[in-house]
């Protein structure tokens, strides 16, 4: 635990948190301002479809528990945290959700800095935090969504893997498996790293323990849902039948690209354009990761997250949000930007933060958060 204590309790951590919160605050204030102009309350906005479907469902699960079949498609940890924060602070569930997400996003940002600094240098680690803070879908990091919390678990799990802190990595992957389905990629990366270490006979019994601990959270929940409904595949059935989400080996992604190529995608929306750009960028960013000789654990994790996102039947507009936890994809970009002069770098991020702020209110008001 000493490496983690050093990673958390230092000046660089405070700087990373400040950069993240400062850039992210621009987007949040932009959304609140536009809602004020429209004379619409944030509470009503959260609960009015199609603005933030998942947020309303997490709040409903936290306040009333699981009571409908489609509820069980949501893993339990984030809603449990909302309930705990509400009980301790006396805040409403909506306020507890925003507070939980902001704290989780900040912890994730510190984890990103730790990973980025270890593999690309201190300045690149800070740039990585800034990039993640101004992604087009970064506004969900301050909404009652589980994406920021999962990214926090993913970042610190990967940091633990890089430090060969096997038990810490296993426990964090377990918690990630109770947060988002994307944890399947994290669990796979942890399991592969543990298997390699075990084959090489490194670190004794710890890699074996890590491999056993990592999948237990997600597996326990899936089995519990199966037991509740009397069929072992109940969780996957709900994902497919109620949420229209299943692994289709990339057929949906191929279909969307086909529409672009043959011209069937007429007048694409802003969301569709961003989704297409995100999908096109993934293989190039993976290639840059390999070229930069980043640790293979980061490459495997990023590739697995991308495979889950691009290989699933889904609405194309959710792609950027599904890719958001694959933050190591941004490390090559952060490394190159970190070589720029401070003045140019600051100007670039001010411009990008302004674009992110615009998108923070345009996205949910125009379309709803994907």
């Amino acid at each position: 635990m000493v490496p983690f204590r050093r990673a958390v309790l230092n000046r660089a951590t405070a700087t990373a948190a400040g950069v993240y919160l400062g850039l992210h605050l621009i987007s949040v204030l932009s959304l609140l301002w536009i809602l004020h102009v429209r004379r619409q309350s944030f509470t009503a906005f959260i609960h009015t479809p199609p603005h933030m479907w998942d947020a309303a469902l997490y709040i409903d699960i936290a306040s009333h528990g699981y009571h409908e079949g489609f509820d069980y498609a949501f893993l339990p940890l984030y809603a449990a945290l909302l309930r705990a924060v509400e009980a301790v602070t006396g805040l409403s569930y909506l306020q507890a959700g925003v507070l939980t997400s902001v704290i989780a996003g900040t912890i994730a940002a510190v984890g990103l800095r730790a990973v980025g600094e270890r593999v690309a240098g201190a300045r690149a680690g800070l740039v990585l935090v800034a990039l993640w803070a101004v992604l087009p879908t970064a506004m969900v990091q301050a909404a009652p969504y589980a994406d920021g919390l999962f990214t926090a678990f993913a970042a610190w799990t990967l940091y633990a893997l890089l430090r060969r802190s096997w038990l810490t990595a296993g426990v964090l992957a377990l918690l990630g498996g109770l947060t988002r389905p994307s944890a399947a990629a994290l669990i796979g990366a942890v399991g592969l790293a543990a298997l390699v270490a075990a084959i090489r006979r490194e670190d004794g019994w710890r890699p074996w323990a890590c491999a056993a601990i990592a999948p237990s959270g997600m597996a326990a929940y899936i089995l519990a849902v199966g037991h509740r409904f009397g069929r072992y595949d109940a969780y996957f059935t709900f994902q497919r039948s109620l949420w229209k989400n299943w692994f289709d080996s990339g057929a949906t992604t191929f279909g969307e690209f086909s529409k672009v190529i043959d011209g069937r995608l007429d007048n694409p929306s802003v969301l569709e354009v961003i989704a297409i750009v995100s999908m096109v960028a993934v293989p190039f960013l993976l290639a840059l990761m390999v070229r930069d000789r980043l640790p293979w654990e980061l490459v495997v994790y990023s590739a697995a997250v991308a495979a889950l996102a691009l290989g699933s039947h889904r609405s194309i507009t959710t792609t950027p949000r599904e890719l958001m936890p694959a933050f190591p994809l941004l490390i090559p970009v952060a490394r190159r930007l970190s070589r720029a002069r401070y003045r140019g770098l600051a100007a670039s991020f001010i411009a990008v933060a302004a674009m992110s702020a615009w998108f923070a209110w345009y996205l949910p008001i125009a379309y709803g958060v994907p």
Side-chain angles (χ1 to χ4, degrees):
M1 295 299 294
V2 173
F4 283 86
R5 194 175 298 118
R6 290 175 181 171
V8 173
L9 302 176
N10 57 35
R11 184 178 299 178
T13 293
T15 303
V19 167
Y20 172 75
L21 292 172
L23 288 171
H24 207 56
L25 186 62
I26 298 173
S27 297
V28 175
L29 291 178
S30 175
L31 174 60
L32 293 178
W33 177 77
I34 200 67
L35 289 176
H36 173 73
V37 171
R38 291 166 60 95
R39 297 181 180 179
Q40 185 176 3
S41 74
F42 185 60
T43 301
F45 174 74
I46 287 287
H47 289 283
T48 303
H51 297 140
M52 292 190 180
W53 291 98
D54 288 8
L57 288 168
Y58 276 122
I59 290 171
D60 185 62
I61 293 170
S63 56
H64 301 106
Y66 290 92
H67 54 86
E68 298 287 348
F70 56 78
D71 291 346
Y72 288 89
F74 287 78
L75 292 161
L77 184 56
Y78 185 78
L81 282 178
L82 293 196
R83 182 176 296 181
V85 172
E86 184 274 339
V88 171
T89 64
L91 298 171
S92 68
Y93 283 106
L94 172 60
Q95 294 167 336
V98 172
L99 177 61
T100 301
S101 292
V102 169
I103 292 173
T106 305
I107 294 173
V110 175
L112 265 66
R113 181 207 62 81
V115 173
E117 179 177 359
R118 183 169 179 84
V119 302
R123 196 176 182 194
L126 202 58
V127 173
L128 176 63
V129 171
L131 287 172
W132 194 69
V134 296
L135 288 173
T137 53
M139 63 159 299
V140 301
Q141 298 166 15
Y145 272 60
D147 300 72
L149 180 63
F150 172 68
T151 305
F153 287 132
W156 286 107
T157 299
L158 294 172
Y159 181 74
L161 281 184
L162 296 177
R163 297 299 302 249
R164 292 301 183 258
S165 299
W166 294 108
L167 298 182
T168 302
V171 171
L172 290 173
L174 179 155
L175 295 172
L178 291 170
T179 307
R180 287 279 298 160
S182 303
L186 182 64
I187 293 167
V190 170
L192 182 59
L195 177 61
V196 170
I199 292 174
R200 293 176 177 175
R201 298 184 179 180
E202 298 173 347
D203 302 322
W205 56 270
R206 288 178 176 80
W208 294 103
C210 175
I213 294 170
S216 59
M218 178 176 281
Y221 179 74
I222 291 173
L223 290 174
V225 174
H227 177 74
R228 166 70 175 79
F229 291 95
R231 50 182 301 175
Y232 71 93
D233 62 344
Y235 172 79
F236 301 102
T237 299
F238 292 144
Q239 288 281 10
R240 185 181 184 99
S241 62
L242 300 179
W243 291 100
K244 310 302 179 185
N245 188 4
W246 67 88
F247 192 78
D248 66 359
S249 302
T252 299
T253 299
F254 179 79
E256 294 299 333
F257 275 116
S258 298
K259 291 180 183 178
V260 174
I261 293 171
D262 62 23
R264 284 179 292 150
L265 192 63
D266 294 328
N267 299 318
S269 67
V270 173
L271 284 179
E272 289 172 327
V273 171
I274 291 176
I276 293 293
V277 171
S278 299
M279 290 188 287
V280 170
V282 166
F284 292 100
L285 293 174
L286 284 171
L288 281 177
M289 291 181 71
V290 174
R291 181 180 179 182
D292 287 359
R293 298 182 179 179
L294 294 180
W296 66 265
E297 295 90 343
L298 302 184
V299 178
V300 167
Y301 166 72
S302 300
V305 173
L308 288 176
L310 303 183
S312 297
H313 181 276
R314 70 204 182 283
S315 169
I316 184 178
T317 58
T318 66
T319 303
R321 185 166 73 88
E322 295 292 337
L323 290 172
M324 191 167 62
F327 68 89
L329 289 171
L330 299 174
I331 293 177
V333 180
R335 173 177 278 171
R336 285 155 179 79
L337 287 175
S338 68
R339 299 167 186 163
R341 294 182 178 181
Y342 280 106
R343 184 177 300 177
L345 195 60
S348 298
F349 273 109
I350 289 173
V352 174
M355 293 174 60
S356 181
W358 166 79
F359 200 69
W361 64 262
Y362 173 79
L363 170 63
I365 289 176
Y367 297 101
V369 173

